[in-house]
Amino acid sequence: MDAPHDTGERILDAAAELFAVHGYAGTTTRAIAEAAGVNEVTLFRRFENKVGVLTALGRRIQQQQAGHAAAAAPDSESVRETLLRLARMEIEATMAGGALAIRLAFDAKSVPEVAALLGEGIPNNAAGLAEYLAEHQATGELRDDIDASVMAEAFFGLTSSYVMYRIVMGVAPMPADVSTDDGIAQLFDLFWSGAAPKERV
Amino acid sequence: MDAPHDTGERILDAAAELFAVHGYAGTTTRAIAEAAGVNEVTLFRRFENKVGVLTALGRRIQQQQAGHAAAAAPDSESVRETLLRLARMEIEATMAGGALAIRLAFDAKSVPEVAALLGEGIPNNAAGLAEYLAEHQATGELRDDIDASVMAEAFFGLTSSYVMYRIVMGVAPMPADVSTDDGIAQLFDLFWSGAAPKERV
DNA sequence: GGTGCATGTAAGTGCCTGCTTGCACTCTAC
DNA sequence: GTAGAGTGCAAGCAGGCACTTACATGCACC
């Protein structure tokens, strides 16, 4: 084939899409192979198991997650700007690969190996944000009567539920006359008004 | 058996638990029957299909949901009180039966009938809240520069993600020294500070 | 005491699943 | 030009799956 080296990647891509829609148990190795344009035998030559595909995928996702959590604080911008940027990034990233991540989080319950992988990634992300928030609570840029981790959870709640509603459930509660960008901006504005110090509003 | 009449209910109960953990595809009819203390044949006599069990379950959930969305507005309390009560109810209800609801929402994608059922329930809930919010935007009790449905989404985002983190992923990002009640209260406070009219803060 | 109804038991059918084996092909590299 | 790695293809196997059939059992009501 053209680029024989990334056959494994193509299999993972296909698996990602199918797992996201049908779940782990609902996806067959034959379906993955077909979607990847690869023979089923090749799948088993590359990955020992069906579980092997899942764990490889889990590893890949975890790396991606770790990546953009670290890119959080360029420091030149205001807290509000940073958070808004983060929100957009979160939503974008979750829209792209996150339906899978959420779905895998479910399946992880039945597949301990993946549970272990994802179980690290998500709270790490949240903890990183909580740390950032706590720092800026200390400087008075954020209200300090709400626990930083509660705030972090609220933040991720907004972004993840935005994706949940839309991709996962195929439901878009926002009316058509509110554009995506506007929707995110308003959603963030609501969060921000709640998170900003009271005396500045 | 003792109460032969609710055999069907016992089957649904068992199915609910198993679906919540293993998903639809990952749960076998044999396992459901066994968990219900019923012969597998009985299951097929009660419900035409495995899909039949799923749709019956979907119907049951939808009825429960409809129930507590309607109980929203006793009118004697302030908007803030109403919303806080609603938040607690939401979280409680979702904590109890919601892991399944969320999980089903995933599986629903492969089973159009359930998708249709749940697809009505959730946005109906959201639409109902949005209507309530819009009313109180009009009276100035809520800020009106944010779309009511965006606000409703933010509200459900907080509650549903609270449950997501805890039950579904088995992760509790809040530190141990913030109690459940406190956590919800703070989470709500953040939402409320964002939703209240600016000039009142 | 017999008719119905809800259930249990035993056995099985056909399909699909994950996974394997054996063999042929086609590139790349030395 | 040959060795080796990566892939495809055809076939199949053993187990599990949803679902069926046929028959026996227990209980309720008339």
Side-chain angles (χ1 to χ4, degrees):
Chain A
M1 299 284 125
D2 314 9
H5 206 73
D6 49 17
T7 303
E9 291 299 314
R10 262 171 36 228
I11 293 176
L12 286 185
D13 289 342
E17 259 182 71
L18 290 172
F19 284 164
V21 178
H22 305 289
Y24 176 74
T27 302
T28 71
T29 51
R30 277 201 249 281
I32 298 173
E34 195 181 343
V38 156
N39 196 280
E40 193 187 0
V41 185
T42 301
L43 182 151
F44 284 104
R45 280 195 273 244
R46 289 294 191 140
F47 307 91
E48 192 184 9
N49 268 343
K50 188 186 174 186
V51 171
V53 178
L54 185 57
T55 53
L57 207 49
R59 234 185 312 267
R60 208 171 70 165
I61 291 175
Q62 199 209 11
Q63 286 169 355
Q64 290 167 356
Q65 279 186 344
H68 65 79
D75 225 44
S76 67
E77 47 186 11
S78 73
V79 180
R80 193 200 139 97
E81 281 165 352
T82 301
L83 287 177
L84 179 54
R85 190 172 46 76
L86 233 170
R88 287 193 198 280
M89 275 171 52
E90 255 305 293
I91 287 180
E92 211 171 301
T94 319
M95 280 290 226
L100 170 67
I102 298 177
R103 177 103 216 197
L104 274 193
F106 279 89
D107 291 326
K109 276 198 150 181
S110 332
V111 184
E113 288 126 305
V114 180
L117 270 177
L118 291 180
E120 288 167 26
I122 295 169
N124 276 356
N125 234 349
L129 178 63
E131 207 175 306
Y132 173 86
L133 295 175
E135 272 173 40
H136 292 83
Q137 279 181 324
T139 64
E141 289 162 290
L142 289 169
R143 61 190 285 197
D144 57 0
D145 59 335
I146 288 187
D147 196 279
S149 47
V150 173
M151 226 182 241
E153 175 162 354
F155 181 83
F156 280 116
L158 288 187
T159 55
S160 71
S161 73
Y162 181 92
V163 176
M164 274 251 302
Y165 275 118
R166 263 142 270 263
I167 291 205
V168 181
M169 312 200 182
V171 166
M174 275 186 204
D177 58 322
V178 178
S179 76
T180 301
D181 246 34
D182 259 25
I184 297 178
Q186 288 194 21
L187 217 43
F188 177 80
D189 188 33
L190 197 156
F191 167 82
W192 178 252
S193 302
K198 288 191 175 177
E199 51 282 3
R200 310 209 164 182
V201 179
Chain B
M1 302 279 124
D2 313 9
H5 205 75
D6 48 21
T7 302
E9 291 299 312
R10 262 167 41 226
I11 293 175
L12 287 185
D13 288 342
E17 259 183 71
L18 291 171
F19 285 163
V21 178
H22 305 288
Y24 176 74
T27 302
T28 71
T29 52
R30 276 199 253 283
I32 298 173
E34 194 179 346
V38 156
N39 196 281
E40 194 187 358
V41 185
T42 301
L43 183 151
F44 283 105
R45 279 196 273 243
R46 289 293 192 139
F47 306 92
E48 194 183 9
N49 267 344
K50 188 187 176 186
V51 172
V53 178
L54 184 58
T55 53
L57 207 48
R59 232 185 315 266
R60 211 172 67 164
I61 292 176
Q62 198 211 13
Q63 285 169 355
Q64 290 166 359
Q65 280 186 342
H68 65 79
D75 223 43
S76 67
E77 46 184 14
S78 73
V79 180
R80 192 200 141 96
E81 282 164 352
T82 301
L83 288 177
L84 179 53
R85 189 171 49 75
L86 233 170
R88 287 195 198 278
M89 275 172 51
E90 256 303 296
I91 288 180
E92 212 171 300
T94 321
M95 279 289 225
L100 168 68
I102 297 176
R103 176 104 217 196
L104 273 194
F106 279 89
D107 291 326
K109 272 200 150 181
S110 331
V111 183
E113 288 127 304
V114 181
L117 268 178
L118 292 180
E120 286 169 24
I122 297 170
N124 274 356
N125 237 348
L129 179 62
E131 206 175 307
Y132 173 85
L133 295 175
E135 273 171 41
H136 290 84
Q137 279 182 324
T139 65
E141 290 162 289
L142 290 170
R143 63 191 285 196
D144 58 0
D145 59 335
I146 287 187
D147 197 277
S149 47
V150 172
M151 224 183 242
E153 175 160 355
F155 181 83
F156 280 116
L158 288 187
T159 56
S160 73
S161 73
Y162 181 91
V163 177
M164 274 251 301
Y165 274 118
R166 262 143 270 262
I167 290 202
V168 181
M169 311 199 181
V171 166
M174 277 187 202
D177 58 322
V178 177
S179 77
T180 300
D181 246 35
D182 260 25
I184 297 178
Q186 288 194 19
L187 216 45
F188 177 79
D189 188 34
L190 198 155
F191 167 81
W192 179 252
S193 302
K198 289 193 174 175
E199 50 283 3
R200 310 209 165 183
V201 179

